[in-house]
Amino acid sequence: MAQQSDSEKFRQTFAKRLRQAINDFGYTGREQKALGELFGVTGQTVQKWLDGTAMPTRDKMPRLASILAVRRTWLEYGEGDKRPSYAISEQRGSAYNEDDIIELKESEINLLLAIRRLSQQDREALEHIIMSWSGLSTG
């Protein structure tokens, strides 16, 4: 049995991370056409990335990472955390200190990713429901 070259190993490990990020985003990886449209490439190109037979170009990698809400260095090289540390302040728009920071949990990030997949109309309806229920304003 032939031994894999370093470039083949690199492509295979990238493909594994890409499949994981795509699954986290709510796709199975079998929707190559839809993923191609999302990433701005053909479905065939997505299939090659997922098979580990090709890699995205350098200019495509940041877009993939941004769409999938993962760090580019994690996606491309497997380095560092999969996701950036997301944090928000309860005191939006005003000065705040470290005690005001809320770190988002993985489940909260996954909810945000699910919301991103909704149509604009569905997102607005969901926002209205959530804001009405929670007593928060949208403005």
Side-chain angles (χ1 to χ4, degrees), residues 60-72:
K60 292 284 184 205
M61 199 64 74
R63 177 181 169 96
L64 293 176
S66 175
I67 290 168
L68 297 170
V70 296
R71 289 183 186 268
R72 184 197 55 78

Side-chain angles (χ1 to χ4, degrees), residues 4 21 26 39 62 76 78 81 92 97 100 102 110 133 138:
Q4 277 188 325
F39 299 146
E76 190 169 0
D81 294 331
R92 293 183 303 179
N97 63 43
D100 295 327
I102 300 171
N110 289 336
W133 176 77
T138 59

